Amino acid sequence: MGQADIAAKVGRMIRRDIPAVAANFLAAQPMLVLAAADAAGRLWAGPLVGQPGFVHAVDAETIAVDARPDASDPLADALTRPARVGMIALEPGRRRRMRVNGAARPHRDGLRIVTDQVYSNCPKYISRRWVTAYDPAAALDAARRGPALDARQREVVASADTFFVASADDEGNADASHRGGNPGVLRVLSPTRLRWPDYRGNSMFMTLGNLAVRPRCGLLIPDWSTGGALQLTGTAELNWDAGTFAAGAQCSIDFTVTEVVWRDTGPLRWSPPELSPVNP
């Protein structure tokens, strides 16, 4: 398939309205990940959880999210006013994911997102896991912040099979994407330097293209067993040295950490993973 054919195929996958299958998918999810920039322009990715139905379509181009980040989340202040956001809903048990980019505004105790882009991605690199417990009274712990990863946080990074990336284009339109692989896919080079391989996916290059024009980005690394969350913000650099990445990758991403936000526990717990059979 030629480049023009690939571009045409990708273009047909993206739409502005929310089809019924996408609305049904969203309404079944207990978790989503949002990406946005804070007042200083730093990008963050953060989790929101709730009973299925807490995120749902209210019309053909509007999504309601009946939750807001807690006060210690770096996205909390950013989402008290209109913001460009990226959103991804992941259903690990069925290896399905859906992405939305658009404009968010605060609404009562949640958000309303007017959609610009709605699309699904293939099941590649998604680790299968299931919810084992949900305790809405068990809010995320108060965040601990720092300029670098401590020993425990480095262990969480090194054992991760799943993480999420917040990026934005040169006009500030945010995007949230999923990255997965075998444990170790996210390498710790130092307390402030990480690296991951950029595996071939849907030929959209949304994240890669964003990072090429705007290096600022954020990472969310869930601790699935405790419900905790590791949020990082910093800058990314595309690394084309073939010696830095394994088979199946088109380049490496080198990430420099500028701030760490860590919560030990949260309300949603998941089973151990069943790793994707297509992981390199």
Side-chain angles (χ1 to χ4, degrees):
M1 183 180 292
Q3 294 299 317
D5 294 329
I6 292 173
K9 179 181 178 182
V10 168
R12 289 192 296 270
M13 294 170 63
I14 301 174
R15 54 197 297 168
R16 180 162 190 169
D17 64 304
I18 307 160
V21 65
N24 292 337
F25 175 79
L26 286 175
Q29 304 314 313
M31 182 186 80
L32 59 83
V33 173
L34 286 179
D38 65 15
R42 301 175 303 176
L43 283 158
W44 296 92
L48 289 176
V49 302
Q51 294 284 3
F54 87 103
V55 52
H56 56 278
V58 295
D59 61 40
E61 295 181 358
T62 307
I63 293 170
V65 182
D66 297 331
R68 294 272 290 278
D70 67 84
S72 63
D73 190 301
L75 285 176
D77 180 66
L79 296 177
T80 61
R81 52 187 175 271
R84 305 299 301 179
V85 300
M87 183 185 89
I88 183 167
L90 187 73
E91 187 176 23
R94 297 175 66 186
R95 293 197 169 108
R96 299 171 66 195
R97 54 186 155 180
M98 174 186 162
R99 288 161 74 177
V100 172
N101 297 327
R105 67 182 190 277
H107 181 83
R108 298 176 184 168
D109 293 327
L111 303 167
R112 291 290 185 270
I113 301 172
V114 177
T115 59
D116 290 329
Q117 298 176 323
V118 179
Y119 58 101
S120 296
N121 285 152
C122 73
K124 281 184 178 179
Y125 317 123
I126 298 177
S127 294
R128 196 191 302 273
R129 45 174 44 97
W130 293 266
V131 174
T132 58
Y134 173 61
D135 180 2
L140 280 163
D141 280 351
R144 299 199 304 274
R145 295 174 179 258
L149 296 160
D150 64 23
R152 167 61 181 146
Q153 293 159 0
R154 295 197 297 273
E155 290 177 0
V156 170
V157 172
S159 64
D161 59 75
T162 301
F163 61 102
F164 299 89
V165 182
S167 64
D169 66 16
D170 54 2
E171 296 180 352
N173 297 302
D175 177 75
S177 62
H178 160 275
R179 291 293 183 270
N182 293 326
V185 66
L186 188 55
R187 293 175 55 196
V188 179
L189 305 182
S190 80
T192 58
R193 293 278 288 177
L194 307 179
R195 175 180 291 159
W196 72 88
D198 194 83
Y199 294 138
R200 294 178 178 88
N202 298 279
S203 299
M204 287 185 171
F205 305 109
M206 299 284 264
T207 304
L208 208 61
N210 285 348
L211 297 180
V213 299
R214 184 169 177 162
R216 283 185 169 183
C217 71
L219 302 185
L220 167 66
I221 306 161
D223 187 331
W224 301 94
S225 62
T226 68
L230 180 60
Q231 293 168 274
L232 311 176
T233 194
T235 57
E237 179 183 359
L238 278 58
N239 184 339
W240 300 99
D241 179 356
T244 66
F245 52 89
Q250 51 204 349
C251 70
S252 291
I253 309 297
D254 290 346
F255 180 75
T256 300
V257 177
T258 57
E259 187 171 357
V260 177
V261 176
W262 168 245
R263 273 83 64 82
D264 289 293
T265 61
L268 199 60
R269 313 294 173 89
W270 299 76
S271 67
E274 178 186 315
L275 299 175
S276 171
V278 303
N279 287 347

